[in-house]
Amino acid sequence: MEKTILVAGKDHPEVMDFSDGVLMSGRNVVTTSATGVHSKKAADGGAVISMWNKTSPVSARSLVLECENNFRRLDEAVFLFDEAYFAEKFDGMTHENCSRGMDEMILAYQYLAQEVLSRFEKRFSLNHASGEILKPAKIVFLLKSSPSEYDILKNNSLRNTVPFAAGPFVSAAASAFVGLAENIAAMFGGRDYVNVILARSESSTELGKNDRALASWICNYMNEVDNLKTKLNAKQSVSWVKAGSKGPGGFGFLK
């Protein structure tokens, strides 16, 4: 059966390249939209765009359920934090950027992580009770880092590498994302029903510039995790993997 993956954190249409990379791996993919699009399925049935109100825990639950309604079950989730994407979206220190930015860049990931992990646990319990053996689900925290104002102050040559530097709100949210990812890996990495993967890419690398290739790499990495004889443990889960590096089974990719 094809795997179904939820990609959250970067909305349609900016997430389309990443979605294409996932589709090329043979997976069904659910991506999100902030407004105007709701449950639009592609002609081949492989892609769905669903509405997600990032400030609502109810919307987070509905998003997870829609993945299952469209493709029967949810196998994987990628939480994508793209600093360059957010740096442009929340450029400048205003009250509105502070309020909306913290909701979208911090609260949203926390709400959705709770729902995804809860659903993965329930799925595992139900299938275990029925005698069906499933591979552990997978949750990936993928950080695409980009130069901040602080980085540029230390190295002015970086200013020409990005159209928008990550300001205080985005940088603070990125730190919160890292903290969320590491502590979820520590808490849930050893549990039977889920593999937790932490990955990061730099904006200056080939994969950092190419969402389609980045998605292809992470999907291949998850395939290798599936093929391991034993699941990742908590200590393995808390280690950040550099995008493009070899998988746990020895798979290599473009660096």
Side-chain angles (χ1 to χ4, degrees), residues 122-176:
K122 183 175 182 179
R123 185 193 77 157
F124 183 86
S125 298
L126 289 173
N127 284 279
H128 184 73
S130 68
E132 183 180 358
I133 305 301
L134 290 177
K135 294 281 188 181
K138 292 173 290 297
I139 184 168
V140 178
F141 292 86
L142 178 55
L143 174 65
K144 287 189 64 178
S145 63
S146 185
S148 67
E149 293 287 357
Y150 173 74
D151 295 325
I152 290 173
L153 180 64
K154 292 195 300 179
N155 182 359
N156 193 57
S157 65
L158 294 173
R159 185 167 295 279
N160 297 324
T161 64
V162 289
F164 294 89
F169 298 154
V170 176
S171 295
S175 296

Side-chain angles (χ1 to χ4, degrees), residues 6-248:
L6 169 64
V7 178
K10 194 171 180 178
D11 286 331
H12 181 83
E14 288 83 0
V15 76
M16 287 180 64
D17 283 347
F18 196 95
S19 177
D20 286 345
V22 172
L23 287 170
M24 287 189 292
S25 77
R27 287 165 166 81
N28 300 313
V29 59
V30 178
T31 56
T32 65
S33 172
T35 58
V37 181
H38 184 78
S39 290
K40 294 296 181 76
K41 185 175 286 189
D44 61 2
V48 166
I49 304 167
S50 290
M51 182 80 172
W52 180 27
N53 177 0
K54 296 180 174 66
T55 66
S56 167
V58 175
S59 183
R61 179 169 299 178
S62 297
L63 177 59
V64 173
L65 291 176
E66 280 198 23
C67 295
E68 296 180 341
N69 290 338
N70 281 287
F71 297 116
R72 187 182 169 196
R73 76 182 192 214
L74 178 63
D75 303 284
E76 301 164 340
V78 172
F79 289 6
L80 175 60
F81 192 104
D82 187 335
E83 282 192 271
Y85 167 74
F86 286 132
E88 181 174 359
K89 194 170 185 179
F90 299 109
D91 181 41
M93 292 187 65
T94 66
H95 290 305
E96 182 182 4
N97 277 348
C98 181
S99 177
R100 285 198 312 113
M102 295 308 99
D103 283 346
E104 183 168 335
M105 295 185 288
I106 297 179
L107 192 63
Y109 291 105
Q110 295 177 354
Y111 281 150
L112 192 56
Q114 292 180 67
E115 292 299 331
V116 166
L117 288 165
S118 175
R119 203 64 189 169
F120 284 166
E121 182 178 18
K122 183 175 182 179
R123 185 193 77 157
F124 183 86
S125 298
L126 289 173
N127 284 279
H128 184 73
S130 68
E132 183 180 358
I133 305 301
L134 290 177
K135 294 281 188 181
K138 292 173 290 297
I139 184 168
V140 178
F141 292 86
L142 178 55
L143 174 65
K144 287 189 64 178
S145 63
S146 185
S148 67
E149 293 287 357
Y150 173 74
D151 295 325
I152 290 173
L153 180 64
K154 292 195 300 179
N155 182 359
N156 193 57
S157 65
L158 294 173
R159 185 167 295 279
N160 297 324
T161 64
V162 289
F164 294 89
F169 298 154
V170 176
S171 295
S175 296
F177 180 81
V178 170
L180 176 69
E182 290 175 343
N183 284 280
I184 282 181
M187 288 181 64
F188 293 89
R191 303 193 186 185
D192 292 338
Y193 58 86
V194 64
N195 278 305
V196 183
I197 300 166
L198 311 185
R200 66 169 76 221
S201 71
E202 303 288 340
S203 61
S204 59
T205 65
E206 290 301 316
L207 288 183
K209 298 173 183 176
N210 188 332
D211 272 2
R212 187 177 285 107
L214 181 61
S216 179
W217 170 77
I218 197 62
C219 286
N220 279 290
Y221 193 96
M222 287 191 289
N223 289 344
E224 289 224 0
V225 169
D226 264 348
N227 292 331
L228 294 174
K229 292 182 179 179
T230 58
K231 72 174 296 296
L232 300 176
N233 58 39
K235 287 188 177 179
Q236 291 171 311
S237 298
V238 298
S239 297
W240 287 88
V241 179
K242 180 181 177 182
S245 62
K246 290 183 179 180

